[in-house]
Amino acid sequence: MGEISTRPFTVNGRLYQPPARPVIVICLDGSADEYLDAAIARGRMPNLQRITVSGHRGLARGAMPSFTNVNNSSIVTGVPPSVHGIGGNYFYDEVRGREVMMNSAQFLRCETIFPAAARAGRKVAVVTAKEKLRDIFASGLIEQGGIAFSAEKANEAEQKTHGVAGIEKLVGHSTPPIYSGEASLYVLRAGVALLQNGMADFLYLSTTDYLQHKYAPTSPEVVEFYAAVDVEIGRLRELGAIAGITADHGMNAKQKPDGSPNVIYLESGLVKKFGKGFRVILPITDPYVVHHGALGSFAVVHLPRRQPVEPVRDWLMDLAGVTEVYDRNTAARKLELPADRLGELAVLSGRDVVLGRTPEYHDLKALAGRLRSHGGRYEEMVPFMLSDALKPAYAARAGGDPRNFDIFDFAVNGTIGI
């Protein structure tokens, strides 16, 4: 491994003083705490169970809305969306008059932790399951000698653009299909390989939630997946790494008693009630429609010109299944979101309800099985684990209201270590 830099660095107002040990942060996409409980109760996660004793296992509050791009961006910057600027996977650009996917570093409004860590002498690597996140993670990193690639396109990684080549040989597995549990396991195995070969000592590993969208926590298929995750966590720990483990969001069933999707089609209802001109944006929208069919528990509403906000807000709030409705400024303040990337209203729904545009907009045939999704308050609380015991000040913070985007602070600064 060689000497590991302990030079401090500051990013977005936070001071990081890294230990002389490898540091690895893992984002287990879609991992509501119930998934870990189910696997541990069946004796399938002994390494995580040991971490619960030797370190810390608790819960943290994620960024809202509880979507992938929002929370991964928060984790890798250490700040909420109001600072880093990415408030969804998707938004309506009012200046250009078009709907835009926010899967590029061009939408970031601050630096990630990674270039600063690399400048301080750490060997930095970020591995994501989904290619859509790589550009955000790689922002400014490759120029500093770091590594960034996705499991989805591992076979396309090149030294010049990804900081590494020959990934399949390094990991010992071929590039996996993105719609599989193997895509997530590939991320973790890549982290092990990078650490074993002395190529990285400061890593971020971000998985995909395909299985969580498909299976409930007690399903045998997903219990086996978490058992395989546990094996890789054990390998990382054997290599001496301090591990911080969290999630970007939880996951819940969003269906009626008969198993059909429990959807409120906001745009259809608004047009019927108030007339044409409404635009509903679903920030869960991304290229992976098999996961969720672009149906989540958070939506943004853009109103027609001269349409008063209050009657629309009140009508939405009276809908069964809608739990919160905020105007732009209130949403920006209470949910810590960038106001200029919101509509006039933000809408959140209940635990078992998703928000859609119109029945014609969504291809529900793309959903593999029953609908499980996220985006609202009920997927906001996520696991928050550290492999090593916490310093007293950090133990007190962990017992209060930690955020999932505090995980690098805790892993780098907060553990007692050995």
Side-chain angles (χ1 to χ4, degrees):
M1 176 64 69
E3 186 175 344
I4 297 178
S5 174
T6 58
R7 195 188 321 161
F9 57 92
T10 300
V11 185
N12 300 324
R14 291 200 197 216
L15 174 65
Y16 297 88
Q17 298 176 291
R21 288 175 58 189
V23 173
I24 296 175
V25 166
I26 302 171
C27 177
L28 293 175
D29 194 341
S31 290
D33 209 46
E34 293 89 339
Y35 285 99
L36 305 182
D37 284 342
I40 289 173
R42 289 158 177 77
R44 303 308 308 277
M45 297 195 83
N47 291 302
L48 191 65
Q49 200 163 4
R50 280 190 283 272
I51 285 175
T52 301
V53 176
S54 65
H56 170 80
R57 181 186 174 197
L59 293 173
R61 188 162 52 95
M64 289 294 295
S66 47
F67 293 138
T68 295
N69 288 20
V70 178
N71 278 273
N72 272 276
S73 298
S74 293
I75 290 168
V76 303
T77 57
V79 293
S82 55
V83 179
H84 64 67
I86 296 182
N89 302 346
Y90 197 71
F91 83 113
Y92 179 65
D93 188 332
E94 292 181 321
V95 175
R96 295 176 176 82
R98 59 191 178 96
E99 299 179 14
V100 180
M101 197 83 70
M102 275 195 284
N103 56 359
S104 167
Q106 67 176 302
F107 297 107
L108 278 175
R109 291 173 170 168
C110 64
E111 187 179 49
T112 74
I113 293 165
F114 309 131
R119 289 193 295 268
R122 297 300 293 230
K123 297 177 181 177
V124 181
V126 295
V127 186
T128 170
K130 298 174 182 176
E131 178 67 17
K132 74 169 185 175
L133 289 171
R134 186 182 67 83
D135 188 61
I136 294 173
F137 295 165
S139 177
L141 176 59
I142 305 303
E143 298 89 329
Q144 299 296 329
I147 293 170
F149 64 91
S150 72
E152 183 178 5
K153 297 191 176 181
N155 58 338
E156 298 179 17
E158 298 180 0
Q159 188 71 41
K160 183 178 179 180
T161 52
H162 299 73
V164 67
I167 296 299
E168 292 184 328
K169 183 177 180 181
L170 175 72
V171 179
H173 296 272
S174 58
T175 299
I178 191 60
Y179 293 124
S180 71
E182 283 299 310
S184 292
L185 297 177
Y186 200 94
V187 170
L188 302 178
R189 290 164 182 158
V192 171
L194 291 166
L195 191 56
Q196 276 180 329
N197 287 277
M199 300 170 69
D201 58 37
F202 194 96
L203 297 94
Y204 182 56
L205 309 176
S206 179
T207 66
T208 178
D209 57 1
Y210 172 69
L211 288 180
Q212 292 85 351
H213 273 287
K214 192 172 183 180
Y215 298 111
T218 56
S219 299
E221 297 88 346
V222 83
V223 170
E224 289 301 315
F225 166 75
Y226 280 98
V229 166
D230 190 73
V231 170
E232 303 308 321
I233 290 173
R235 294 174 71 191
L236 292 168
R237 291 287 289 139
E238 288 171 2
L239 292 167
I242 295 172
I245 304 169
T246 189
D248 50 354
H249 55 76
M251 190 75 67
N252 280 301
K254 309 286 186 176
Q255 56 203 36
K256 299 174 184 177
D258 65 2
S260 61
N262 193 7
V263 188
I264 301 173
Y265 292 107
L266 292 180
E267 199 165 292
S268 298
L270 287 165
V271 169
K272 183 177 180 180
K273 175 66 178 179
F274 297 98
K276 295 181 179 180
F278 288 88
R279 183 188 298 269
V280 171
I281 296 295
L282 307 173
I284 194 173
T285 306
D286 68 7
Y288 307 92
V289 293
V290 171
H291 286 51
H292 46 64
L295 293 165
S297 296
F298 181 93
V300 169
V301 181
H302 294 263
L303 307 184
R305 288 184 180 181
R306 295 184 290 278
Q307 169 64 54
V309 172
E310 290 77 9
V312 180
R313 183 192 61 202
D314 293 345
W315 182 81
L316 288 167
M317 197 63 242
D318 283 341
L319 291 177
V322 168
T323 55
E324 298 169 74
V325 183
Y326 300 115
D327 61 55
R328 185 194 301 263
N329 291 334
T330 305
R333 185 176 69 255
K334 291 183 71 70
L335 304 179
E336 299 175 291
L337 288 168
D340 61 323
R341 290 175 175 170
L342 288 170
E344 284 79 14
L345 292 168
V347 186
L348 290 84
S349 61
R351 181 186 179 95
D352 63 345
V353 180
V354 285
L355 303 171
R357 295 182 73 163
T358 68
E360 298 75 28
Y361 180 83
H362 300 273
D363 182 8
L364 300 187
K365 296 190 298 296
L367 295 174
R370 293 183 172 184
L371 177 62
R372 299 178 59 79
S373 193
H374 52 94
R377 292 286 190 192
Y378 296 88
E379 296 82 38
E380 182 184 21
M381 300 303 294
V382 294
F384 192 79
M385 295 168 283
L386 283 303
S387 61
D388 293 53
L390 297 177
K391 297 172 183 176
Y394 280 83
R397 283 177 57 192
D401 184 29
R403 308 299 298 275
N404 63 348
F405 53 81
D406 293 330
I407 191 69
F408 268 104
D409 179 23
F410 273 72
V412 173
N413 298 323
T415 60
I416 295 172
I418 55 173

